[in-house]
Amino acid sequence: MGGLDIIDHSPHHPSPSPPLANATNLILIDNYDSFTWNVYQYLVLEGATVSVYRNDAITLDELIARNPTQLVVSPGPGHPDTDSGISREAVKHFAGKIPVLGVCMGLQCIVSVFGGEVVYAGEILHGKTSSLRHDSKGVYTGLPQDLPVTRYHSLAGTYSSLPKCLEVSSWTTKDVIMGVRHKDYTVEGVQFHPESILTEEGRKMLKVFLSMRGGTWVENERLNKEAPPNVNGVGSGKLFRTEEKGNSILDKIYAHRKATVEAQKQIPSQRPRDLQASYELNIAPSQISFVDRIKRSPYSLSLMAEIKRASPSKGIISLSTSAPIQARIYALAGASVVSVLTEPEWFKGSIDDLRVVRESLEGMPNRPAILRKDFIFDEYQILEARLAGADSVLLIVKMLDEQILTRLYKYSLSLGMAPLVEVNTVDEAELAVRLGAEVVGVNNRNLTSFEVDLGTTSRLLDIIPKSAVVCALSGISGPKHVQAYKNERVGAVLVGEALMRAADATEFVRELLGGEPACPNPAAKGDILVKICGTRTPEAAKAAIATGADLVGIILVEGRARCVPSETALQISKVVHETSRLSQYAQPSVASKSAIDHFEHASSFFRNPTRALLVGVFQNQPLEYVLQQQQLLDLDIIQLHGSEPLEWARLLPVPVIKRFGPSDAGLGKRGFHSLPLLDSGAGGTGKKLDLESVKNVLAADPELRVILAGGLDPSNIAEVISQLGKVSERVVAVDVSSGVEEGGAQSEERVRDFVRRAKAIKRGQ
């Protein structure tokens, strides 16, 4: 029973409710299940007049002719697509016209009708009780969390196939879908059995369903405002949770987090002294100023883009979301801040999400600030956030008394993190002002009632000094919600659910805030760069530059056939540095208000507008030797062609090219090498790369940029790039050595031919 006590929740001495005027002709479709009687009993006890029809004993036309006030689809055996008789047709017809409820197979019919998949749930349950979490809306209005509910099923809907018109309204602790709701129509489905004697509050759920009227939620709200139904104190209205003070969802989350954090503090390696020791070792990721970054945006308002898989008000939003992938999308779309929900129970986040988000933005110039959004009440959580890579934390005034709030605020500042201070009322805003908060977030959602009022931010503006950045939080889902804030002195908006649900987050941001972020790095565009490697004489270097080569590579690995002695290397360096040329390349620049991926940013510095660049190639030599040669030869770029550690790139004073095979680990690691070079082996062997593996590597990482080497020559360069198709646009440069040689020496004619053919390539086609 999942650890839950067996309790009989059935109405032992049921007192029938008076007949309901809005439920005088409810039709219950029986899918040949014994529980249909129990569903019937509960509905009648709540005042409904119910007629029952077997799923193969009535046609759709006959159902329509009976003009039902509500439709309920019962549980049943089998699959909804093959064993539910008239049920699916009935749901499809009556959805949007009258309230519809599906129980067990009834829910599966709803999922199937609107385009979702119903598949094996991963386990077979027969009379098993599970703990239910829900969004406190619809049939769950006014009900507590963690209700024991009874399950009889082996099939379930899937998150990945759930159509956009449906939302998950309840779920188990294992995140199996237990309830769905149509976003527009008064259509609800429950996978469990509310009519079972082991389900707590099942009768109340059906009572709330019977209070629904009309075919849409808009119509339901209007009708209930005009004449609220008599349902013994339970009205549908807007169908959100309202709780007494001291029993709000905020209080429950706060209590749960306190217990969780206290337990975590006892774990070796996670104790407060362990975290402090790590901090004192200076191993926390580097940080940026939250206040400064939130003031910079390519849009008229700064965007705080939130990673939120679920919430108490909306239920499951997107469990499949990868936090680091989402963070990169937000950053490149122009977000000034990435907000990461780290609360695990209600919001399905974790501190690990924050940690990998920070790692995903490593090496990104002008990256967004990272905000830990959680229910913070202890210095421990702030230090944990700093060690994970946060630049700021959220402090909720409603949750903290002034003494604790002040203490946490000062502690956060001591770690270099100016907090986001969240307020909702005049008193809370005045407290934030007394605190000296530099960034004040006004929550448009009342955390007790969960009502959203977008005017809350506007009403509190006069209280907050102009020196502070004001952020509008909650309820923002479209351009119309943002327009009013643009005309006021609101500095930023936080958007979570709408972004998480958007099919194209970048396009959504553009439409939400208006316009396009400035192209952050126009210098990174242009024709393909050419690196002529294995150059052994100053004359060959000069000839390569004359043909239009962008990079001249010299081998500095003793024992290699193309290795050049120090005296010759100095002569080549002098030629490369003193030979100027006219170029179409602009000076590299990075827009100050936009983030850009590490590799795109780094690739721009391989395009010098006045001369070619000198590349020194090393392989498994001591770091000290590499540093010495760089200084001696004035190398513009260092190429590491062996098994050198990635960390060396951070210890070298110039950009680094690092050789990888397509399947090598670390190829796409940001913040280290400037560009990866894809090669088949030690270099200069003429062995070709497997182009399918190259395509797979580039397809798996949409922002990756590479240099391509391995068996290239004038005769095949165009064909090789063409075979890469669309991903070829991310080949920044091509590297050739043996492919431009004749008789063991570089051929000026072959170099010229190679450069000409490479520069003529149209990538991405």
Side-chain angles (χ1 to χ4, degrees), residues 64-179:
I64 295 171
R66 281 163 174 73
N67 194 26
T69 52
Q70 291 93 0
L71 176 71
V72 178
V73 180
S74 85
H79 195 282
D81 292 351
T82 55
D83 304 294
S84 64
I86 196 65
S87 299
R88 293 178 74 259
E89 289 184 67
V91 169
K92 185 175 182 179
H93 175 81
F94 288 108
K97 300 179 177 67
I98 60 174
V100 176
L101 175 68
V103 179
C104 199
M105 178 184 272
L107 172 142
Q108 296 166 11
C109 288
I110 292 169
V111 171
S112 175
V113 163
F114 290 103
E117 294 180 356
V118 176
V119 298
Y120 178 55
E123 54 184 344
I124 299 174
L125 297 108
H126 191 81
K128 301 294 184 181
T129 304
S130 298
S131 181
L132 184 78
R133 308 301 299 273
H134 56 78
D135 63 4
S136 302
K137 298 188 298 183
V139 296
Y140 309 108
T141 301
L143 300 184
Q145 296 290 342
D146 300 311
L147 288 169
V149 297
T150 311
R151 300 164 62 189
Y152 291 81
H153 68 104
S154 60
L155 304 176
T158 64
Y159 288 100
S160 60
S161 72
L162 197 70
K164 291 182 179 180
C165 63
L166 298 181
E167 61 185 1
V168 176
S169 57
S170 64
W171 55 95
T172 68
T173 53
K174 293 182 179 180
D175 293 324
V176 178
I177 295 175
M178 285 290 105

Side-chain angles (χ1 to χ4, degrees), residues 420-649:
L420 170 64
V421 180
E422 179 186 306
V423 303
N424 176 254
T425 66
V426 171
D427 289 343
E428 292 170 8
E430 290 174 344
L431 178 51
V433 172
R434 291 198 300 274
L435 195 65
E438 296 181 83
V439 185
V440 179
V442 180
N443 197 339
N444 293 317
R445 186 186 305 279
N446 184 300
L447 292 180
T448 300
S449 68
F450 271 63
E451 287 186 85
V452 173
D453 178 0
L454 292 172
T456 306
T457 299
S458 302
R459 289 192 294 273
L460 297 183
L461 280 175
D462 291 340
I463 300 172
I464 303 167
K466 293 182 179 180
S467 58
V469 179
V470 178
C471 311
L473 317 178
S474 293
I476 298 164
S477 60
K480 62 182 180 181
H481 298 147
V482 173
Q483 191 56 48
Y485 295 143
K486 287 183 177 181
N487 300 326
E488 299 171 331
R489 62 179 186 87
V490 174
V493 292
L494 183 142
V495 184
E497 180 194 354
L499 262 175
M500 293 289 288
R501 295 188 189 278
D504 184 334
T506 301
E507 179 64 17
F508 178 86
V509 171
R510 188 192 68 77
E511 293 177 356
L512 179 76
L513 298 178
E516 300 263 5
C519 179
N521 201 15
K525 312 302 180 185
D527 59 23
I528 200 165
L529 298 175
V530 176
K531 174 172 173 271
I532 303 298
C533 201
T535 302
R536 281 172 276 180
T537 67
E539 293 77 17
K542 194 172 186 66
I545 295 169
T547 65
D550 303 283
L551 307 165
V552 174
I554 54 175
I555 308 299
L556 300 171
V557 185
E558 290 187 9
R560 295 289 300 275
R562 298 181 181 87
C563 179
V564 295
S566 295
E567 184 177 345
T568 305
L570 283 168
Q571 293 172 357
I572 293 173
S573 176
K574 188 174 188 296
V575 167
V576 173
H577 284 88
E578 293 181 357
T579 303
S580 61
R581 65 176 186 183
L582 295 176
S583 173
Q584 74 275 27
Y585 303 144
Q587 286 284 359
S589 62
V590 178
S592 62
K593 296 181 180 180
S594 298
I596 179 175
D597 185 78
H598 165 78
F599 290 122
E600 182 172 352
H601 166 72
S603 66
S604 69
F605 293 98
F606 285 64
R607 297 178 182 273
N608 190 289
T610 60
R611 66 175 178 86
L613 299 177
L614 182 62
V615 182
V617 181
F618 301 87
Q619 186 177 44
N620 298 328
Q621 291 149 289
L623 176 62
E624 293 76 10
Y625 177 77
V626 177
L627 287 166
Q628 180 188 58
Q629 292 297 302
Q630 189 280 321
Q631 292 179 346
L632 176 67
L633 302 175
D634 195 15
L635 299 175
D636 298 303
I637 298 169
I638 288 172
Q639 179 172 320
L640 300 177
H641 213 81
S643 57
E644 299 87 356
L646 293 184
E647 290 84 353
W648 278 21

Side-chain angles (χ1 to χ4, degrees), residues 309-495:
R309 296 189 181 92
S311 75
S313 62
K314 297 296 184 179
I316 297 296
I317 297 170
S318 177
L319 285 181
S320 61
T321 294
S322 163
I325 291 175
Q326 195 77 357
R328 280 192 187 171
I329 292 172
Y330 288 167
L332 297 176
S336 299
V337 176
V338 174
S339 170
V340 185
L341 261 301
T342 59
E343 193 284 323
E345 295 299 321
W346 281 266
F347 293 89
K348 304 300 179 186
S350 72
I351 194 68
D352 286 332
D353 281 336
L354 192 146
R355 189 172 289 110
V356 294
V357 162
R358 175 64 183 85
E359 290 176 1
S360 75
L361 303 183
E362 183 67 26
M364 181 177 285
N366 203 34
R367 69 166 175 84
I370 299 171
L371 169 72
R372 181 185 190 180
K373 197 173 181 191
D374 206 322
F375 299 83
I376 291 176
F377 50 84
D378 193 310
E379 287 89 344
Y380 176 88
Q381 296 166 285
I382 299 174
L383 181 56
E384 181 186 40
R386 177 76 281 277
L387 287 169
D391 302 297
S392 180
V393 296
L394 175 71
L395 297 178
I396 304 173
V397 175
K398 185 182 292 295
M399 197 178 80
L400 306 166
D401 64 39
E402 186 167 358
Q403 181 180 0
I404 295 175
L405 176 65
T406 302
R407 192 184 77 221
L408 296 178
Y409 183 83
K410 291 181 177 179
Y411 180 71
S412 186
L413 288 179
S414 76
L415 300 184
M417 298 191 295
L420 170 64
V421 180
E422 179 186 306
V423 303
N424 176 254
T425 66
V426 171
D427 289 343
E428 292 170 8
E430 290 174 344
L431 178 51
V433 172
R434 291 198 300 274
L435 195 65
E438 296 181 83
V439 185
V440 179
V442 180
N443 197 339
N444 293 317
R445 186 186 305 279
N446 184 300
L447 292 180
T448 300
S449 68
F450 271 63
E451 287 186 85
V452 173
D453 178 0
L454 292 172
T456 306
T457 299
S458 302
R459 289 192 294 273
L460 297 183
L461 280 175
D462 291 340
I463 300 172
I464 303 167
K466 293 182 179 180
S467 58
V469 179
V470 178
C471 311
L473 317 178
S474 293
I476 298 164
S477 60
K480 62 182 180 181
H481 298 147
V482 173
Q483 191 56 48
Y485 295 143
K486 287 183 177 181
N487 300 326
E488 299 171 331
R489 62 179 186 87
V490 174
V493 292
L494 183 142
V495 184

Side-chain angles (χ1 to χ4, degrees), residues 101 134-143 167 169 180-181 187-188 190 204-212 217 220 234-241 313:
L101 175 68
H134 56 78
D135 63 4
S136 302
K137 298 188 298 183
V139 296
Y140 309 108
T141 301
L143 300 184
E167 61 185 1
S169 57
V180 297
R181 179 184 304 113
V187 175
E188 293 239 24
V190 294
K204 286 186 179 178
M205 297 177 196
L206 295 180
K207 179 186 293 188
V208 174
F209 169 71
L210 291 174
S211 74
M212 299 175 188
W217 295 114
N220 171 73
V234 179
S236 55
K238 291 185 180 179
L239 295 176
F240 51 70
R241 186 214 309 244
S313 62

